[in-house]
Amino acid sequence: MYKIEQLLKYPYFADLLARSGLEHILDPLTGMIARPYILGFVRSLIAEKKPFSFAMLDLDNFKFVNDTYGHSAGDGVLKGVAGELIEYIDGFGVAGRFGGDEYLFIDLKHITYDEKKAFFSEMYTDGAVLRRNFDLEEWSPFITGTIGCATFPDDAADFDELFAMIDKTLYRGKSKGRNCYIIYVEEKHKNIEIRNLAGHGICTVMQSMIRQVELVPGTENKFHAVLPLLMDEVGISDLYYTGRNNVLHAVLNKDLRENVSDIVQITKDDIYRTNNIDDLAGPAPVFCAVLKKLKVETLLLTRIGMKEDTNGYLICAEPRSHRIWQEDECAMIYFLAKLIAVGMRVDGDILPE
């Protein structure tokens, strides 16, 4: 929670505090600056023509925290992240709550691209603010976030343009798989439209999968056909799969042939996901060792099969540290596995041994 002395150094807040109490300008849950006043501060800096970097932070998969641990835990996470963010930028910036699980912060120190990159890199490293567990009374959820950032006046000349840029870069981060920061760069981001970054509805993606799968014969060819769509929508770099003999193959890495015989030990449910490969060390040490050899850190796996018959497994395995798989991403991979299984039954095709 902000204290009066932390805000008095800024003329905008000093004027506000002279007219009203501290509690009037703070968000009651997090103790950050409330939305009207954090936005007012931004407008005041633009009016003064004072350079600053402006960023929006969106917590990843926050609904999962509420649904899994309860809204009390969700509130605890919101307050925990707020406290860490306030401390991290104290002395050269101010943070506020935009709404829900979104935060805004202003940085008056890190203006150039290299300065911003170093600032955000540290923010994501060693549990400074994100990619860390927040210890609550009964739970300790691991929290990541996505950030979009732009700078006044280098990137934008007014408030509306500046806000549009952080919104755009935030969506860009989400489209890349979340758990990352995106700094606005004109040649990269100027012509990107949010409606395209936001992606398609899951129904549209599934329809595209059906079209891609129907166009080509053979299961391996179907994987090749659908991979570009999954790269765009799910943010994966390759697609892995096994047949009945549990040998791991990859669509792009054609030379990959690794025995993962104990994969069946973690597939009691149709979908398995983890953001910590060490979770597999006990039940599936062979599979775990292969994934570590591939420098994988996060896993999404689903069964290819109909009813009780298992033809193999479809696997997304990525190097990004502590990625949290979203529900719509799980739905897409599960749908593809069922689509492949139906095609195999109809065509009499098999997965490679």
Side-chain angles (χ1 to χ4, degrees):
M1 173 182 265
Y2 272 110
K3 299 177 181 178
I4 289 179
E5 55 267 26
Q6 290 175 285
L7 300 176
L8 284 175
K9 66 182 71 174
Y10 306 105
Y12 172 81
F13 291 113
D15 182 60
L16 280 176
L17 290 167
R19 294 184 279 114
S20 60
L22 178 64
E23 67 280 357
H24 178 70
I25 65 172
L26 297 185
D27 174 68
L29 174 64
T30 64
M32 310 176 89
I33 306 300
R35 173 173 174 161
Y37 304 107
I38 195 71
L39 294 178
F41 183 47
V42 172
R43 292 181 184 276
S44 74
L45 293 173
I46 292 174
E48 296 169 9
K49 301 189 183 305
K50 189 172 183 64
F52 66 97
S53 293
F54 188 30
M56 180 181 287
L57 161 63
D58 184 14
L59 299 186
D60 298 329
N61 211 23
F62 185 70
K63 183 177 183 298
F64 176 80
V65 175
N66 277 333
D67 291 348
T68 304
Y69 306 111
H71 286 82
S72 177
D75 287 349
V77 168
L78 291 174
K79 289 186 283 189
V81 173
E84 296 298 334
L85 184 56
I86 289 171
E87 181 177 348
Y88 186 69
I89 63 173
D90 189 34
F92 57 84
V94 178
R97 188 180 182 193
F98 185 64
D101 59 336
E102 294 180 320
Y103 306 86
L104 297 172
F105 55 98
I106 293 94
D107 179 354
L108 295 162
K109 179 179 179 182
H110 305 94
I111 306 299
T112 69
Y113 179 86
D114 288 342
E115 289 171 343
K116 287 180 285 190
K117 184 176 180 181
F119 168 80
F120 285 120
S121 179
E122 184 177 344
M123 189 174 176
Y124 278 79
T125 303
D126 298 328
V129 178
L130 298 167
R131 294 180 182 166
R132 55 167 292 182
N133 293 91
F134 282 84
D135 296 324
L136 308 175
E137 289 186 6
E138 299 182 31
W139 315 103
S140 183
F142 188 89
I143 301 299
T144 64
T146 305
I147 293 175
C149 174
T151 298
F152 172 86
D154 293 349
D155 301 326
D158 57 45
F159 175 86
D160 291 338
E161 186 180 6
L162 183 64
F163 197 90
M165 286 178 177
I166 67 168
D167 205 23
K168 181 184 293 188
T169 50
L170 178 64
Y171 268 100
R172 176 59 178 153
K174 290 180 179 180
S175 73
K176 291 185 65 176
R178 304 175 176 87
N179 187 21
C180 64
Y181 60 88
I182 301 293
I183 300 168
Y184 182 82
V185 177
E186 184 175 7
E187 55 267 29
K188 288 184 178 180
H189 306 126
K190 181 179 180 180
N191 296 320
I192 293 178
E193 295 185 14
I194 287 181
R195 62 185 178 185
N196 294 329
L197 288 174
H200 308 292
I202 190 168
C203 182
T204 303
V205 175
M206 289 177 175
Q207 288 174 331
S208 297
M209 283 187 190
I210 292 172
R211 287 194 296 270
Q212 294 291 340
V213 166
E214 288 178 340
L215 284 173
V216 296
T219 302
E220 288 185 273
N221 292 331
K222 295 180 190 299
F223 285 147
H224 276 278
V226 81
L227 180 57
L229 178 65
L230 293 176
M231 285 178 162
D232 288 340
E233 297 295 337
V234 184
I236 59 174
S237 55
D238 203 345
L239 186 63
Y240 301 86
Y241 57 92
T242 75
R244 290 183 184 272
N245 65 344
N246 295 325
V247 171
L248 188 67
H249 303 264
V251 174
L252 297 181
N253 184 3
K254 298 181 183 299
D255 295 328
L256 181 66
R257 298 287 188 277
E258 292 282 355
N259 170 50
V260 290
S261 56
D262 55 4
I263 192 173
V264 296
Q265 301 301 320
I266 60 165
T267 55
K268 295 180 176 62
D269 297 322
D270 274 352
I271 294 180
Y272 177 88
R273 54 183 166 173
T274 181
N275 60 10
N276 184 359
I277 294 303
D278 288 332
D279 290 344
L280 308 181
V286 175
F287 187 33
C288 181
V290 170
L291 294 176
K292 288 191 173 183
K293 180 180 176 181
L294 295 172
K295 301 188 185 311
V296 163
E297 296 175 332
T298 182
L299 174 73
L300 170 61
L301 178 150
T302 188
R303 184 175 67 92
I304 302 172
M306 302 294 293
K307 296 184 178 180
E308 301 303 318
D309 187 29
T310 299
N311 302 111
Y313 298 96
L314 189 61
I315 302 156
C316 298
E318 292 296 311
R320 176 171 296 158
S321 176
H322 300 297
R323 170 173 177 161
I324 298 177
W325 297 99
Q326 307 298 307
E327 290 299 319
D328 55 350
E329 296 168 342
C330 295
M332 291 177 200
I333 299 303
Y334 178 77
F335 177 77
L336 176 60
K338 291 301 181 185
L339 194 60
I340 293 294
V342 170
M344 292 174 68
R345 174 170 291 189
V346 171
D347 300 333
D349 198 9
I350 61 171
L351 288 161
E353 299 296 324

